[in-house]
Amino acid sequence: MKYWVKKELKPPHGKVYIIEDRCKGCGFCIEFCPQQVLQESEEFNSRGYHPPKLVENDKKCIGCSFCSLVCPEFAIYIEKEEENED
Amino acid sequence: MEIEGEHHPLDEYLRADRIPHIWCPGCGLGTVLNGFLHALEETDIDLKNLAIVSGIGCTGRIAGYINVDSYHTTHGRAIPFATGLKLANPKLKVVVISGDGDLFAIGGNHFIHAARRNIDMTVICVNNYNYGMTGGQLGPTTPLESKTTTTPYGNIEHPFNLCHVAHASGAVYVARWTALHARRMKDSIKEALNKKGFSFVEIIASCPTTYGRRNKMPTGLDTMKYYKEKSVIKHGIEPEKADIEIGGEIIVGKFVDIEKPTFNEEVEKLIRRFHK
C-alpha cells in the first residue's frame, strides 16, 4: 500500500558550467537569472572581460537553463542534478 | 560544485573553431543563434536535409557559424537563392536568417513575393533597427525620432511594421519576439520550422555599438532591460496594431497561424492534372 506515503516535493537543482574564455561580459546571465545565482567575478578571463561566477549559496540554482538560452556566446550551460531519494 | 566547463552541448551544431564569433559584447545576434540551435535540437529535422541561407550584414554571419549546409548570398537576395533551393529540391528544409535591412530594404520585393507564393520556407528576421555592420545608418525599421548616423536630428521616416508586411503578403505563420524572450523565441522558431508554408519570425535584438549608443541604451544589458520594461505579450492581435514606436510598448507574440496550400503542392497538383 503506497497510497499513504506522502512525498515531499523538492525543487530541482542544476549544476552550472561556465566556459570562462568565451565570455564577453555582457551580463545577461547575471541580470536575468530568476534565482540570482550568478555574480560578476573580479578576475579577468584571457580576453580581459569579467566572466560570471556563482554566489555563495550554490544550491540556489533550479536548473531552468535560462542563462544558457540567453547567453550570446555559448559560454554557460546547465546540467540538471538528479536528486537521490532518501 | 564544478564550475569550469569545456564542451558546450550545442558545439556539435556549431562550427566551434569559429567561436568566439565576431559580434560585439551585448549583441542580440548570439542569443538568436543560441535560440535557433536550441529549437533545432528539439525538432526532428535531419541535418543533412537542412540548408541555411543568409544575406549580407551582421546577421548574415549566422549561416557561417552553423555546421550544416549554409549559403551566404549577395545582399538582399537570400530569399531568391532559398526559393531556388526549395524548387530544385523540394525535400530540403530551407531556412533564411537575415537582418531587417537585407530582407526588407534591399530584398523587400523578394520577401513580399515569396510570402505571396507561399513557398515552404522559414524566414527569421533579426531586427536591430539600423544597418549595424556599415556603421549604424537609417534602415527601413528605424523607429520615428530615433537617432542614427544618417539621422542625427532624429528619424522622420515612418518605419515598416515587419509582421504587418508579412501578414499582408500572405505568410502563414507570423510571430515577433525580442531577444529577451529567449524561451518563447525558441518555441516560436520550433513552431515555424515545423510549419508547412511561408513562416516568418521577427526577433528584435539589441545593437549596442551602433544603435543603442546613440539612443540612451549604451550597453546590450540596457536594451534588454528596456525590452523587459516595455514589451507586452498579445497573442493573436492584428499585426497592423503592433507598430513599434520609440518609448512605446513593444507588442510581441504569435500573431498569425493559418493553413494554406504551398507553392510546391500547387505545382505537383498542376503536374498531376496534365500527366494522367
Side-chain angles (χ1 to χ4, degrees), chain B residues 232-260:
Chain B
V232 184
I233 298 173
K234 287 183 184 172
H235 291 298
I237 194 178
E238 293 273 314
E240 62 179 294
K241 290 176 188 157
D243 276 330
I244 294 173
E245 287 160 9
I246 201 162
E249 278 183 352
I250 302 172
I251 296 171
V252 296
K254 184 170 86 174
F255 301 140
V256 179
D257 192 354
I258 53 171
E259 299 291 333
K260 224 160 77 168

Side-chain angles (χ1 to χ4, degrees), chain A residues 16 18 24 64 68 70-72, chain B residues 2-3 5 21 23 31 34 183:
Chain A
V16 186
I18 298 165
K24 285 183 193 166
C64 72
S68 107
V70 85
C71 176
Chain B
E2 271 182 71
I3 191 163
H21 49 61
W23 300 313
T31 309
N34 198 336
R183 205 179 299 276

Side-chain angles (χ1 to χ4, degrees), chain A residues 16-20 22 24 26 28 31-32 47 49 54 58 64 66 68-74 76-77, chain B residues 1-9 11 19-21 23 25-26 30-31 34 38 180 183 220-221 224-225:
Chain A
V16 186
Y17 291 88
I18 298 165
I19 308 173
E20 286 189 2
R22 281 189 181 179
K24 285 183 193 166
C26 65
F28 291 175
E31 177 71 25
F32 298 114
R47 292 191 286 160
Y49 295 108
L54 288 173
D58 60 2
C64 72
F66 190 76
S68 107
L69 264 168
V70 85
C71 176
E73 306 293 331
F74 301 94
I76 187 165
Y77 60 97
Chain B
M1 176 177 282
E2 271 182 71
I3 191 163
E4 279 286 326
E6 279 180 0
H7 185 75
H8 196 279
D11 275 0
I19 301 291
H21 49 61
W23 300 313
T31 309
N34 198 336
H38 270 101
L180 176 69
R183 205 179 299 276
L221 197 55
M224 292 290 246
K225 282 178 185 165

Side-chain angles (χ1 to χ4, degrees), chain A residues 48-65:
Chain A
Y49 295 108
H50 295 287
K53 68 171 183 184
L54 288 173
V55 294
E56 300 295 310
N57 183 5
D58 60 2
K59 278 285 170 197
K60 272 166 76 182
C61 176
I62 55 164
C64 72
S65 293

